[in-house]
Amino acid sequence: MERRIHHAGLAGKIMSAENAAAQIQPGMTVGMSGFTGSGYPKAVPLALAGRIEAAQGRGEKFALRVLTGASTAPELDGALAKAGGIDFRLPYQSDPELRARINHGEIEYMDVHLGQVAQYTWFGFLGKIDVAVVEVAGILPDGRLIPSTSIGNNKTWLDLADKVILEVNSTQPLGLDGMHDIYYGTALPPNRQPIPLTQAGDRIGEPYLRVDPAKVVAVVETHAPDRLGRFSAPDETSQRIAGHLVEFLKQEIKMGRLPENLLPLQSGVGNIANAVLGGLRDGGFSNLTAFTEVIQDGMLDLIRTDTIRMASATALSLSPEGVQEFARNIEHYRERIVLRPQEISNHAELVRRLGCIGINGMVEADLYGNVNSTHVAGTSIINGIGGSGDFARNGFLSCFVTPSTAKNGAISCIVPMVSHVDHTEHDVCIIVTEQGLADLRGLSPKQRARAVIANCAHPDYRPLLQDYFDRACRDSKGKHTPHLLGEALSWHQRLLEQGSMQP
Ligand code: 0RQ
């Protein structure tokens, strides 16, 4: 570990995770590192959970406001949620324990666009940050920090927190050094200047995070790797979704609306989005770029084969096999990957300037193109909006992908009216299911409904949707966006009551 902590003053602050966790008091707001299961602190949250359980055992309330980059892992969200140690959490999460407690109403959860979290903190909208707990790969002699496998909101937490706890993780490859680009030019309105990034791979900042050593109250050494899941192998459904999208992109090139090497890709989380990337590799594309949040296995593979020549993201979220491949060929990847703070990877100005092609998973879409990315039957959260909205609103094209049904056909992912809206009809260009692709660009609501029913609905549900739409066109008071309000959410009600949307 000696070679990872080169600052004498900070080396003098090495202590156990338990002693570090003792710096965190009930009611505090803690900004933690971590984005889609990578770069999260491995030891302090666990020690904290132990402390919280002991306090609860004595009948004392001990809960925190926990802010992160995005989802973390069982050692952080899972352990703290299980201990009853989280009062309030933002943004994106995916831990089953945390999700269950949010949906039971025990934890307040604020789902917010990932690109907005840093500026909301700087604006003061989220209150004061008491403590930052940030994983890093190493500490330089001058005290600057080599970031880990994700950057997320770390710059903001380190800048704004009163106290800082650093975890230095010996398993994170030192080859990460030089891969990051931390931009320190962000100012607050009215003093903001244009962000000088015009290509996905531009380096506009510095490779290291800054921290005031005087604020660092503890340095903890850890030796556990990121705990990341595996992706399911692309099945026939996801391959058909990928096929429709690839065919569409090729058609756009033919029509002269996209260049041969497309525009910078953004790809969301989940199995379907991962499979779509595999489709691009097999589709004969080359010289592509990505300006995205997360590099999953599918994208790593495109970088390995030079299908993607440059990728910008805020986190690596790889399977155990992906981690091995990354470490084996880290020199290749260092030339082709730039990791940035999420306020930059997801910045509206940059997504719009670069003209990103956003491809994100969804839960359901309605006839008119409104998209629900987050809730089951309108009330239970799955993960969160993540960065999908940053790209859907601001990109060149916003594509949403899903199988046409879920839960063995009991649920139609195309419904009369979405039970929760994350992306409005105004932000959605393309909807793809294994049935086909609906191109909603330039269409009125009724034209969109016809395209969605014809191209995306499953044959089991298509006649029901057509019937709803026909009756809505006849009986709706307003004929611009026809709806039968008493019936619009009846499919979800049927699901809750009978376990299926089928009548
Ligand atoms: O449930 O796991 O119990 O089987 O939702 O569905 O089909 O495996 O799809 O893994 O691609 O995830 C929207 C959740 C899709 C994801 C979502 C059930 C389904 C299954 C997963 P089971 P699939 P995926 C950048 C972008 C929001 C954030 C985002 C997501 C589970 O893509 O979280 O885009 N997106 N960020 O059975 C009830 C329906 C359903 C349904 C699917 N209509 N009703 N359940 N499911 N459709 C990255 C970041 O921002 C970090």
Side-chain angles (χ1 to χ4, degrees):
M1 201 42 132
E2 187 66 4
R3 64 198 174 94
R4 296 238 172 184
I5 304 173
H6 296 284
H7 182 275
L10 293 179
K13 295 180 184 178
I14 294 175
M15 63 181 76
S16 69
E18 288 69 27
N19 286 342
Q23 300 280 342
I24 299 171
Q25 305 306 327
M28 280 186 164
T29 298
V30 186
M32 302 235 192
S33 64
F35 196 103
T36 52
S38 67
Y40 57 92
K42 313 287 188 290
V44 173
L46 276 177
L48 190 56
R51 223 179 124 218
I52 290 170
E53 272 163 8
Q56 316 261 23
R58 295 189 300 271
E60 298 161 19
K61 181 171 161 54
F62 193 149
L64 304 164
R65 288 166 58 84
V66 178
L67 282 46
T68 63
S71 53
T72 64
E75 296 94 314
L76 196 168
D77 279 325
L80 289 177
K82 201 165 170 207
I86 304 181
D87 251 352
F88 177 93
R89 171 75 167 76
L90 76 74
Y92 190 85
Q93 50 74 39
S94 67
D95 182 83
E97 186 76 40
L98 177 59
R99 179 189 297 136
R101 288 173 187 255
I102 292 169
N103 286 325
H104 281 137
E106 294 163 34
I107 293 174
E108 300 300 326
Y109 170 55
M110 182 184 173
D111 190 19
V112 50
H113 298 298
L114 293 182
Q116 304 270 30
V117 178
Q119 69 161 3
Y120 280 3
T121 314
W122 284 97
F123 294 165
F125 294 177
L126 305 177
K128 176 162 110 48
I129 307 295
D130 296 299
V131 184
V133 185
V134 173
E135 177 181 279
V136 297
I139 303 178
L140 300 178
D142 62 9
R144 286 179 302 162
L145 311 170
I146 305 172
S148 177
T149 37
S150 69
I151 298 180
N153 288 312
N154 293 349
K155 168 185 163 288
T156 298
W157 306 154
L158 292 166
D159 282 351
L160 291 180
D162 291 346
K163 292 179 181 179
V164 172
I165 297 173
L166 298 173
E167 285 199 4
V168 184
N169 188 334
S170 66
T171 71
Q172 297 295 15
L174 279 173
L176 284 169
D177 189 353
M179 208 174 264
H180 310 91
D181 186 61
I182 317 293
Y183 181 61
Y184 278 93
T186 50
L188 296 181
N191 300 313
R192 281 191 170 154
Q193 297 294 317
I195 298 172
L197 184 148
T198 57
Q199 303 288 325
D202 283 354
R203 290 185 172 275
I204 57 173
E206 42 199 91
Y208 306 114
L209 285 160
R210 303 174 191 165
V211 67
D212 173 4
K215 288 205 306 191
V216 179
V217 294
V219 177
V220 178
E221 294 171 310
T222 66
H223 313 286
D226 289 329
R227 188 172 345 172
L228 295 155
R230 288 189 164 77
F231 297 99
S232 45
D235 58 4
E236 200 196 319
T237 300
S238 50
Q239 281 172 0
R240 282 172 62 186
I241 293 172
H244 295 311
L245 200 55
V246 166
E247 196 185 317
F248 164 78
L249 292 171
K250 286 185 172 167
Q251 187 61 22
E252 288 298 293
I253 295 172
K254 247 189 229 144
M255 304 285 284
R257 286 193 284 250
L258 278 174
E260 288 278 343
N261 68 336
L262 303 177
L263 287 165
L265 298 168
Q266 176 261 342
S267 163
V269 287
N271 292 317
I272 308 290
N274 201 49
V276 165
L277 290 172
L280 288 174
R281 183 199 51 215
D282 303 336
F285 290 96
S286 62
N287 203 22
L288 305 179
T289 57
F291 193 78
T292 189
E293 300 142 275
V294 188
I295 296 180
Q296 292 185 326
D297 286 28
M299 189 166 285
L300 196 76
D301 201 46
L302 296 190
I303 303 169
R304 181 180 63 81
T305 54
D306 273 329
T307 310
I308 288 184
R309 68 175 157 77
M310 184 53 84
S312 161
T314 192
L316 300 161
S317 183
L318 305 170
S319 70
E321 294 75 28
V323 169
Q324 278 177 13
E325 159 57 25
F326 177 74
R328 237 187 342 260
N329 289 313
I330 201 156
E331 297 306 322
H332 175 87
Y333 293 116
R334 189 135 36 115
E335 299 296 308
R336 292 162 178 83
I337 293 176
V338 185
L339 295 177
R340 315 177 185 280
Q342 73 194 62
E343 66 183 314
I344 300 298
S345 67
N346 288 39
H347 203 291
E349 173 191 337
L350 304 180
V351 172
R352 184 144 180 184
R353 178 180 300 141
L354 297 175
C356 292
I357 300 176
I359 304 170
N360 290 292
M362 65 172 172
V363 177
E364 60 184 9
D366 69 23
L367 299 179
Y368 299 113
N370 298 289
V371 164
N372 168 12
S373 292
T374 55
H375 284 68
V376 175
T379 57
S380 296
I381 190 100
I382 301 181
N383 300 318
I385 192 168
S388 54
D390 296 319
F391 289 87
R393 170 63 57 87
N394 302 300
F396 179 88
L397 265 182
S398 68
C399 311
F400 285 93
V401 295
T402 180
S404 63
T405 61
K407 306 293 177 202
N408 294 320
I411 296 175
S412 173
C413 298
I414 308 296
V415 290
M417 181 185 264
V418 285
S419 58
H420 175 93
V421 191
D422 291 293
H423 310 288
T424 77
E425 52 166 334
H426 313 287
D427 293 339
V428 177
C429 301
I430 306 291
I431 293 178
V432 196
T433 70
E434 81 288 354
Q435 301 294 324
L437 179 146
D439 181 353
L440 309 182
R441 294 171 299 171
L443 301 186
S444 74
K446 290 192 290 293
Q447 292 171 327
R448 288 198 293 265
R450 290 183 195 109
V452 168
I453 295 170
N455 295 297
C456 299
H458 190 278
D460 288 353
Y461 289 97
R462 192 176 292 141
L464 297 169
L465 287 163
Q466 188 65 51
D467 173 60
Y468 174 87
F469 181 61
D470 291 342
R471 286 184 295 113
C473 286
R474 192 187 63 206
D475 299 338
S476 174
K477 179 161 191 306
K479 304 287 190 218
H480 173 60
T481 307
H483 262 307
L484 305 172
L485 292 180
E487 193 182 323
L489 294 173
S490 62
W491 292 31
H492 300 87
Q493 189 62 32
R494 206 154 51 228
L495 174 67
L496 292 176
E497 287 168 5
Q498 299 168 22
S500 171
M501 286 184 174
Q502 290 278 5

